[in-house]
Amino acid sequence: MGAEEDLPDLQKIPKPLQEKYYDLARREVEWILNYLTKVDVEFLKPFEDSVKRAKRGLNRVEWKERTFAVVDGSDTPAIDERIGVKYGLSSACVKAFKGLEPLEDGELYVGDMLKGSVNDSKEEFLKKLDLVTAYLERALALRALEEVDYVVIDGSFFGFRAGCSRVKTKSLNWVDPVSRREFKSVYGLIEELLKMTEKLLSSRRAFGIVKRVPTSALDGLIGYTYGPGRMLGLSDRSILLLTTSPGDVIAYSEIFPEGYYHDVFSLFCSQMEEYGRKGTSVDVERALKGAERRFRLQVVSDLGRHKDDKRSDELIRLIRSTERVFVRTVESQPPVCLELPKGAGRDLKDIAITYVLESHNSATGLPLALDIVDDLVSLPRRVGTEFVDEIEAELLRRNVDLRRMRAVFSKINPQKEFE
């Protein structure tokens, strides 16, 4: 039995499947090796040229005497398999530091529960929970602005935008645990999130650190400038990993044409892929205009009350009111993505860049304080399960008929929806 347990799992499955998967692994190696031949000096040169032009001089400033509040949030969904009620636990934390030294009484937590509607799909419920968590994070960030010099948020200022179109017309019926304000609809919460985020941006004392950067805007720009045949099919983080060294600072505003938001070139990249799949001839100017239209449509679809929202230009302006700067801190990791208010003074940019460069965790490349707060606030996956276990146990103690509860609250076969 011991020898069997020591075998890799791949060798425990039936022999025909083993052979199939080993063969697929060998094929994948060949594909990777072939692909890597494209990422040579010739193909990287236009990317390296663009990045080189965008490198800004580093102006290190004193930051250890400044105070920073770092904000992060976490959530976990769960479902009671017997009664079929959906729950989501949401939490946010802010921790204040002078430099890297924690401030006494500078730590605050807020947590709450979101109960899902019977009619919520898995995706809809998860998005609602995501928006609640974003709200708690923004609430703590605004509170911290009154007490510290700078606020550092985890993620993009408008990271909550994606997917809002799926849920904005849905009911929410959630009460802010701090202000006791009730949000009956998801759209009401979205509107408040926009106002809170704009306040953070207008303070010129807040910046975000974006851990997940899915955009391929650099690849799109090279495809637009030199033709789609020069595109590598790599994300911005991957390209910057190949073209930067520790200490490099790359400003997006120095790379992309004035008036174009980087997301437009990321969408342009997606359109090039669509053209390639369909075998359609490529007109890059037409494709770029199409990407711009798609960007506007997505923003209004996600954040507008309806598709003809008269505030569409204002929503676009708001999304475009941020800029990104990448800072390479360690050799083993891609650059850290900083998001700042567009037109922020030199003081904020220099502070943010120096803070990231001089306070990073050598393992992750991210600011050490952000990693600390992330560990503090992260909810283990089992917390959601244990929470609904406690509800179920209390119902049983009170002799509630769980079959009746299930008939009232559950949809057909909701089991394992969130496992």
Side-chain angles (χ1 to χ4, degrees), residues 323-370:
E323 60 178 316
R324 290 187 172 183
V325 175
F326 288 81
V327 183
R328 184 74 179 272
T329 55
V330 294
E331 183 67 39
S332 61
Q333 297 290 341
V336 175
C337 178
L338 274 170
E339 193 169 82
L340 303 130
K342 185 174 286 187
R346 183 86 186 190
D347 178 61
L348 178 63
K349 286 186 179 180
D350 288 344
I351 279 285
I353 291 168
T354 307
Y355 176 77
V356 168
L357 274 173
E358 297 186 1
S359 74
H360 69 267
N361 181 341
S362 58
T364 65
L366 297 167
L368 185 60
L370 189 64

Side-chain angles (χ1 to χ4, degrees), residues 56-299:
R56 53 164 287 174
L58 176 59
N59 181 33
R60 290 183 185 265
V61 295
E62 183 281 320
W63 61 276
K64 293 182 180 177
E65 294 300 313
R66 308 289 185 97
T67 53
F68 298 83
V70 181
V71 182
D72 198 1
S74 178
D75 52 58
T76 181
I79 187 168
D80 190 298
E81 294 185 2
R82 296 193 191 181
I83 62 175
V85 181
K86 303 181 186 73
Y87 295 101
L89 298 183
S90 183
S91 66
C93 171
V94 60
K95 189 173 178 66
F97 300 82
K98 183 177 182 180
L100 278 178
E101 292 297 317
L103 291 177
E104 188 175 353
D105 299 323
E107 193 172 293
L108 179 64
Y109 297 87
V110 61
D112 203 25
M113 175 196 81
L114 178 68
K115 187 162 71 173
S117 162
V118 173
N119 297 316
D120 283 337
S121 69
K122 174 183 176 181
E123 291 75 19
E124 290 167 350
F125 182 66
L126 290 177
K127 186 58 194 176
K128 287 182 181 181
L129 185 59
D130 172 64
L131 290 171
V132 165
T133 302
Y135 176 92
L136 296 179
E137 292 176 14
R138 294 293 183 272
L140 289 185
L142 287 172
R143 175 171 174 163
L145 270 179
E146 301 172 4
E147 302 170 358
V148 299
D149 297 322
Y150 299 100
V151 170
V152 185
I153 67 168
D154 177 49
S156 167
F157 283 99
F158 297 100
F160 61 84
R161 174 174 72 88
C164 283
S165 59
R166 295 198 307 267
V167 297
K168 67 181 183 181
T169 61
K170 304 289 184 178
S171 62
L172 185 65
N173 298 316
W174 176 72
V175 177
D176 173 4
V178 178
S179 69
R180 306 311 302 170
R181 177 178 175 181
E182 182 179 6
F183 293 93
K184 293 185 177 180
S185 71
V186 173
Y187 191 73
L189 187 66
I190 292 171
E191 283 194 313
E192 189 60 26
L193 272 168
L194 289 171
K195 292 176 185 176
M196 297 166 87
T197 303
E198 192 166 19
K199 284 181 183 178
L200 280 175
L201 289 167
S202 63
S203 75
R204 294 293 192 264
R205 292 190 292 117
F207 59 92
I209 296 185
V210 188
K211 296 176 185 174
R212 288 170 288 278
V213 186
T215 56
S216 296
L218 292 172
D219 212 22
L221 177 64
I222 296 303
Y224 171 74
T225 307
Y226 297 97
R230 300 306 298 268
M231 295 167 66
L232 290 175
L234 295 176
S235 69
D236 290 349
R237 278 167 60 89
S238 297
I239 288 169
L240 289 171
L241 179 63
L242 293 169
T243 56
T244 60
S245 302
D248 285 349
V249 178
I250 311 299
Y252 258 180
S253 60
E254 301 297 324
I255 294 180
F256 296 100
E258 188 173 352
Y260 280 100
Y261 193 61
H262 63 267
D263 272 1
V264 172
F265 280 95
S266 194
L267 289 170
F268 173 87
C269 187
S270 298
Q271 286 196 310
M272 291 298 98
E273 292 175 357
E274 289 178 17
Y275 286 153
R277 287 195 301 271
K278 296 176 181 178
T280 309
S281 60
V282 175
D283 180 334
V284 293
E285 293 295 341
R286 183 178 178 183
L288 186 62
K289 289 178 181 177
E292 174 72 16
R293 286 194 299 272
R294 186 182 295 188
F295 169 69
R296 295 182 66 90
L297 181 63
Q298 286 180 354
V299 170

